[in-house]
Amino acid sequence: MANYKVVSMPGDGIGKVVLPEAIRVLDAVGFDADYIHADIGWEFWCTEGNALPERTVDLLAEHKLGLFGAITSKPKAKATAELDPSLRDKGHVYFSPIVGMRQRFQLDVCLRPCRSFPGNPLNFIRRTVDGGFEEPKVDAVIFRQNTEGLYCGIEWTNPPAGVRDGLALHPKYKAFADVPPEELAMSVRLFTRKACERILRASFAYAKKHGYPGVTVCEKPNVLRETSGMMETVAAEVQKDYPELKLWSTNIDAQMMWLTKNPEDYGVLVAGNLFGDIISDAFAGLVGGLGFACSGNIGDDVAVFEPTHGSAPKYEQLDPPIVNPIAMILSGAMLLDHVDEGAKADRIRGAVAAVVAEGKVRTYDMLKLPGGPEVFQRGAASTRELTDAILANL
Ligand code: NAI
Ligand code: MG
């Protein structure tokens, strides 16, 4: 029997293309695991009225480790239209299975490393004063609070009277008191001390383990005094347990501006849900974009690793497939880190680095080509060929 059991959730579209590539690489480094297929995604919304079937939740609860590809989600009207006729009018409401997984298993720490691979033509470069250019080395790791903040899901258009009464306790509500409720939309930004502490502890521990000089909290405490303020207060408390590490603070807006000025100055960053989503995408854009962006959703009990990209439906039918498997493969390496198989993870990252540096085998995105079946004539490698090159470099 294998040492590990990993729940494999390819999902929709290119999720089905890239996940098997990651498993090929994990097998090749000798990761002793069995992969148990689990259903997730649009198909199961249409046929069962649930994109995250209970049997998948049960498998995750049992095996604790998941690899996830990507899912497709569609707006409300389409979701209703595509639901099997026998399921209509039975109260089924589409709910994102990713958000569902994060909430069901309290996967509250989202880890998104954004590291540049030398030789990647997609790496960010910047002008120097003498008219040349330079390529800063980006080595940022974003810790995004994954379960609350502005994505906690508490929101209304036309909030009920009780909610408006509650809001009226706040002096600032006066300015909105006369707005007809049906013209009022609100999304609650909710932070808990416990979740702030967990994401901060995880980030400080990571910074210490990996030799970063400190942690940067990226929020907006000058305006969002309560929520961002709580994150900053707790950060200062947690830092007391890490006297050797520094604590910096940046504002999300300024951080976005500095991103392209001096990205090399940032290492471990921590933010609430929405700001974390934003800075992690922004940093990912400096190191190759969606084809390279890997992530982990980590709870106390269960952890699920996934590329940041979606299901890219327009490429799903292409045979051979053209999409870049690196984001998924690096997510597999993160799974290895998580189970203390760091040496195997390093081998994978080393092989990816070698292939990128050599530059002979590149998917269409790395050649900056528009996607389509014609990319092969223009020198692009297929998904499988890129994985083969990585395997050859292990
Ligand atoms: P997407 O990430 O699927 O694709 C956007 C574009 O990025 C693609 O057209 C393609 O040009 C490029 N791209 C994505 N992955 C790539 C890869 N591995 N290699 C090369 N190029 C790649 O986002 P989009 O088009 O906004 O959404 C498509 C569907 O995916 C939607 O239904 C959306 O709801 C869902 N989605 C799911 C996510 C998830 O499962 N975590 C995240 C984002 C979107
Ligand atoms: Mg995003």
mmCIF file of all heavy atoms in Angstrom, residues 112 144 151 276-278 280-281 290 308, ligand 2:
data_model
loop_
_atom_site.group_PDB
_atom_site.id
_atom_site.type_symbol
_atom_site.label_atom_id
_atom_site.label_comp_id
_atom_site.label_asym_id
_atom_site.label_seq_id
_atom_site.Cartn_x
_atom_site.Cartn_y
_atom_site.Cartn_z
ATOM 1 N N ARG A 112 0.606 31.435 -1.691
ATOM 2 C CA ARG A 112 0.861 31.614 -3.123
ATOM 3 C C ARG A 112 2.287 32.124 -3.367
ATOM 4 O O ARG A 112 2.539 33.320 -3.328
ATOM 5 C CB ARG A 112 -0.141 32.615 -3.704
ATOM 6 C CG ARG A 112 -1.556 32.096 -3.687
ATOM 7 C CD ARG A 112 -2.499 33.038 -4.394
ATOM 8 N NE ARG A 112 -3.783 32.406 -4.629
ATOM 9 C CZ ARG A 112 -4.779 32.968 -5.294
ATOM 10 N NH1 ARG A 112 -4.632 34.181 -5.797
ATOM 11 N NH2 ARG A 112 -5.910 32.336 -5.471
ATOM 12 N N ARG A 144 -2.551 34.633 1.991
ATOM 13 C CA ARG A 144 -3.862 35.268 1.855
ATOM 14 C C ARG A 144 -4.856 34.591 2.789
ATOM 15 O O ARG A 144 -5.026 33.373 2.722
ATOM 16 C CB ARG A 144 -4.311 35.120 0.404
ATOM 17 C CG ARG A 144 -5.776 35.353 0.182
ATOM 18 C CD ARG A 144 -6.170 34.914 -1.211
ATOM 19 N NE ARG A 144 -7.605 34.979 -1.362
ATOM 20 C CZ ARG A 144 -8.264 34.453 -2.394
ATOM 21 N NH1 ARG A 144 -7.605 33.829 -3.356
ATOM 22 N NH2 ARG A 144 -9.563 34.556 -2.473
ATOM 23 N N TYR A 151 -14.790 38.287 1.391
ATOM 24 C CA TYR A 151 -15.349 37.090 0.750
ATOM 25 C C TYR A 151 -16.088 36.202 1.746
ATOM 26 O O TYR A 151 -16.321 35.034 1.481
ATOM 27 C CB TYR A 151 -14.245 36.261 0.076
ATOM 28 C CG TYR A 151 -13.527 36.933 -1.083
ATOM 29 C CD1 TYR A 151 -12.453 36.305 -1.696
ATOM 30 C CD2 TYR A 151 -13.932 38.162 -1.578
ATOM 31 C CE1 TYR A 151 -11.782 36.888 -2.761
ATOM 32 C CE2 TYR A 151 -13.264 38.764 -2.650
ATOM 33 C CZ TYR A 151 -12.191 38.120 -3.227
ATOM 34 O OH TYR A 151 -11.526 38.694 -4.274
ATOM 35 N N GLY A 276 -5.333 39.984 -0.560
ATOM 36 C CA GLY A 276 -4.422 38.866 -0.833
ATOM 37 C C GLY A 276 -4.635 38.317 -2.231
ATOM 38 O O GLY A 276 -3.690 37.947 -2.937
ATOM 39 N N ASP A 277 -5.881 38.253 -2.648
ATOM 40 C CA ASP A 277 -6.216 37.809 -3.998
ATOM 41 C C ASP A 277 -5.562 38.754 -5.011
ATOM 42 O O ASP A 277 -4.948 38.328 -5.995
ATOM 43 C CB ASP A 277 -7.752 37.842 -4.138
ATOM 44 C CG ASP A 277 -8.274 36.959 -5.241
ATOM 45 O OD1 ASP A 277 -7.480 36.210 -5.842
ATOM 46 O OD2 ASP A 277 -9.497 37.005 -5.503
ATOM 47 N N ILE A 278 -5.686 40.035 -4.732
ATOM 48 C CA ILE A 278 -5.155 41.043 -5.668
ATOM 49 C C ILE A 278 -3.627 41.003 -5.710
ATOM 50 O O ILE A 278 -3.036 40.892 -6.784
ATOM 51 C CB ILE A 278 -5.659 42.453 -5.270
ATOM 52 C CG1 ILE A 278 -7.179 42.541 -5.469
ATOM 53 C CG2 ILE A 278 -4.933 43.529 -6.085
ATOM 54 C CD1 ILE A 278 -7.810 43.804 -4.924
ATOM 55 N N SER A 280 -1.568 38.704 -4.896
ATOM 56 C CA SER A 280 -0.983 37.454 -5.398
ATOM 57 C C SER A 280 -1.107 37.377 -6.919
ATOM 58 O O SER A 280 -0.198 36.901 -7.596
ATOM 59 C CB SER A 280 -1.589 36.234 -4.711
ATOM 60 O OG SER A 280 -2.971 36.164 -4.910
ATOM 61 N N ASP A 281 -2.226 37.847 -7.475
ATOM 62 C CA ASP A 281 -2.327 37.886 -8.936
ATOM 63 C C ASP A 281 -1.309 38.873 -9.511
ATOM 64 O O ASP A 281 -0.701 38.629 -10.551
ATOM 65 C CB ASP A 281 -3.734 38.295 -9.384
ATOM 66 C CG ASP A 281 -4.666 37.099 -9.542
ATOM 67 O OD1 ASP A 281 -4.339 36.021 -9.005
ATOM 68 O OD2 ASP A 281 -5.715 37.242 -10.201
ATOM 69 N N LEU A 290 -0.501 33.141 -15.351
ATOM 70 C CA LEU A 290 -1.317 31.988 -14.956
ATOM 71 C C LEU A 290 -0.653 30.643 -15.201
ATOM 72 O O LEU A 290 -0.924 29.674 -14.505
ATOM 73 C CB LEU A 290 -2.663 32.051 -15.663
ATOM 74 C CG LEU A 290 -3.576 33.174 -15.163
ATOM 75 C CD1 LEU A 290 -4.843 33.262 -16.012
ATOM 76 C CD2 LEU A 290 -3.927 32.966 -13.705
ATOM 77 N N THR A 308 -3.544 28.579 -9.848
ATOM 78 C CA THR A 308 -4.459 29.706 -9.676
ATOM 79 C C THR A 308 -5.392 29.861 -10.871
ATOM 80 O O THR A 308 -6.461 30.443 -10.751
ATOM 81 C CB THR A 308 -3.626 30.995 -9.487
ATOM 82 O OG1 THR A 308 -2.654 30.729 -8.488
ATOM 83 C CG2 THR A 308 -4.468 32.146 -9.045
HETATM 84 MG MG MG B 2 -7.761 35.518 -8.334
#
